[in-house]
Amino acid sequence: METTTIGFIGLGLIGGSIAKAIRKFHPDYQILAYNRTKEVLEDAVFDGIVDIPCTERDTRFALCDYIFLCATVDYNLECLPWLKETMRSSCILTDVGSVKGEIHRQITALGMAANFIGGHPMAGSEKTGYEYSTDHLIENAYYLLTPSEEAGLDKISAYTELVSSIGALPMILSWDEHDFITASVSHLPHIVAASLVNVVKKLDSPQEHMKTIAAGGFKDITRIASSSPHMWEQICLENPEYISKVLDEYIRQIVQAKYLVDQKDGQGLYEMFAQSRDYRNSFSDAPSGPLKKAFILYCDVVDETGAIATIATILSMNNISIKNIGIVHNREFEDGVLRIEFYDEEAQKLAAEQLKKRNYIIYER
């Protein structure tokens, strides 16, 4: 049987993670890749992820059954003309971009629609680059597929099966619907997070008291403000129509909240918070989504030598791995000051169970 060959142009966080997932689930597949930073490509070869390191516009991409465009949007678009001349007719060409309109328009203009199925794994991190990629980043995350109108059912089925085989959850949308949805659930949150941080920065005193005590909820909801400014500049410039439309509705909500506060409308404020709570609580915890779920608990500890070491020992004795641990200096949960983060929900639940058995007070999110 002929070996499936998959090519990557760009090995950042997403490209690297997809390549690692393919290597994990399909060790017999051949992977070739090009990355503008040579050291990254060398690392991927050393890690056993990439079999064939390629040069820019390498003719060996003609061997590929799939080609993933995982570089910056502008570079992905630059690659299209030479890929048209290079890739074979049976190849499935895809990307991983957060906005689909521009690349679909370029694909159509170049007559490449029969080969193109847009792709967008709804997973990520505020960190960027191959060094942060993992073989489980897209596990249980929705992977949005936006087939061109001319893409055949055979190609759509094959790509859907590949996505499922590496642990993701494929969902097929039109590119137009995709761009509106991501403007709401991905692009808006990044703009809001950046705005919240800038509000605190502007209102803070010269002594930076706000910055000093900002923790817990504020840090959680603004974590994504640490993402790449260059990447989010590009995304906003690529999807301005839908982002503007979504921002209009968000601004209306903020104006309404201000009115309720100004009028001291307790019932209105209660209903605003209750509606958001009920809708938020209806979300499924199964898929990862674009904002990765953090598995965190907060534990009340006595301020004495060895308190943290005792907790770490209890968890270690139960084979529970800790992803991160640290002191929360403002007592958001009254007494809960030790913040412990885990790699998955099972570890979080087991840790809470074991600590509660030993009479620790646990706060979970």
Side-chain angles (χ1 to χ4, degrees):
M1 182 180 292
E2 186 178 346
T3 301
T4 298
T5 299
I6 300 183
F8 285 86
I9 296 175
L11 285 174
L13 175 70
I14 301 300
S17 294
I18 294 173
K20 289 179 179 180
I22 290 172
R23 176 59 72 218
K24 175 182 178 180
F25 291 101
H26 302 284
D28 56 323
Y29 283 12
Q30 179 173 252
I31 297 178
L32 55 86
Y34 166 72
N35 193 82
R36 285 191 282 187
T37 304
K38 186 178 179 181
E39 291 75 16
V40 168
L41 197 54
E42 292 172 348
D43 288 343
V45 172
F46 180 81
D47 293 341
I49 304 303
V50 171
D51 300 301
I52 304 174
C54 294
T55 58
E56 189 171 23
R57 305 193 178 191
D58 201 306
T59 57
R60 286 174 291 184
F61 277 95
L63 302 171
C64 294
D65 299 289
Y66 295 85
I67 296 175
F68 285 80
L69 297 171
C70 305
T72 59
V73 174
D74 53 351
Y75 190 76
N76 287 344
L77 295 177
E78 286 178 21
C79 291
L80 295 181
W82 74 264
L83 281 173
K84 179 183 178 181
E85 303 301 323
T86 303
M87 66 183 189
R88 56 189 183 185
S89 60
S90 61
C91 181
I92 295 173
L93 178 65
T94 187
D95 74 324
V96 296
S98 179
V99 183
K100 291 291 175 250
E102 181 60 26
I103 194 164
H104 271 275
R105 285 187 284 268
Q106 292 288 337
I107 286 286
T108 300
L110 288 167
M112 303 171 69
N115 297 89
F116 187 73
I117 302 173
H120 180 201
M122 298 293 286
S125 167
E126 71 275 16
K127 304 295 185 181
T128 59
Y130 176 80
E131 63 181 309
Y132 295 105
S133 63
T134 69
D135 61 12
H136 57 270
L137 182 73
I138 62 174
E139 185 177 355
N140 293 325
Y142 283 117
Y143 199 119
L144 307 184
L145 306 181
T146 61
S148 297
E149 290 184 4
E150 296 178 30
L153 183 59
D154 57 335
K155 286 185 171 63
I156 297 172
S157 297
Y159 190 19
T160 301
E161 289 175 10
L162 176 64
V163 167
S164 296
S165 74
I166 58 177
L169 307 173
M171 177 185 290
I172 297 176
L173 302 169
S174 69
W175 69 260
D176 195 55
E177 185 179 14
H178 168 278
D179 285 359
F180 180 57
I181 289 172
T182 54
S184 302
V185 303
S186 179
H187 307 163
L188 176 65
H190 280 81
I191 292 172
V192 171
S195 300
L196 284 172
V197 172
N198 287 335
V199 164
V200 170
K201 181 176 183 291
K202 184 173 182 178
L203 297 179
D204 208 356
S205 65
Q207 295 78 26
E208 295 188 328
H209 290 154
M210 290 185 184
K211 178 181 177 181
T212 300
I213 66 173
F218 186 82
K219 289 186 73 174
D220 286 345
I221 63 175
T222 59
R223 173 181 56 81
I224 53 177
S226 296
S227 300
S228 164
H230 175 69
M231 179 179 73
W232 282 99
E233 174 198 9
Q234 282 199 327
I235 288 172
C236 289
L237 294 177
E238 290 163 35
N239 200 22
E241 180 182 352
Y242 284 133
I243 291 176
S244 180
K245 184 176 181 179
V246 170
L247 278 170
D248 280 341
E249 179 57 35
Y250 180 69
I251 290 168
R252 281 192 287 270
Q253 295 282 343
I254 291 296
V255 170
Q256 175 67 12
K258 182 179 185 303
Y259 174 81
L260 295 174
V261 171
D262 289 345
Q263 297 300 311
K264 299 182 179 179
D265 184 346
Q267 183 61 33
L269 288 166
Y270 176 86
E271 290 175 2
M272 178 185 74
F273 289 118
Q275 287 174 12
S276 66
R277 176 202 61 193
D278 293 344
Y279 186 63
R280 175 62 178 81
N281 288 346
S282 72
F283 290 3
S284 170
D285 285 335
S288 300
L291 309 181
K292 298 289 284 185
K293 181 178 179 180
F295 303 101
I296 299 168
L297 60 78
Y298 293 80
C299 180
D300 178 20
V301 291
V302 179
D303 187 11
E304 63 183 20
T305 303
I308 296 177
T310 301
I311 290 175
T313 300
I314 292 170
L315 300 181
S316 176
M317 288 172 58
N318 288 276
N319 297 315
I320 301 171
S321 297
I322 298 172
K323 183 177 182 180
N324 202 356
I325 188 168
I327 295 290
V328 176
H329 293 287
N330 68 325
R331 294 179 173 251
E332 183 185 1
F333 293 92
E334 295 183 1
D335 296 321
V337 294
L338 186 64
R339 179 184 186 275
I340 313 173
E341 183 176 359
F342 304 90
Y343 287 96
D344 53 47
E345 187 174 15
E346 183 180 354
Q348 179 196 32
K349 288 181 177 179
L350 181 58
E353 177 185 323
Q354 292 299 321
L355 292 174
K356 286 177 182 177
K357 280 183 179 179
R358 292 163 174 81
N359 297 319
Y360 285 96
I361 299 173
I362 302 298
Y363 307 86
E364 298 178 64
R365 283 186 170 177

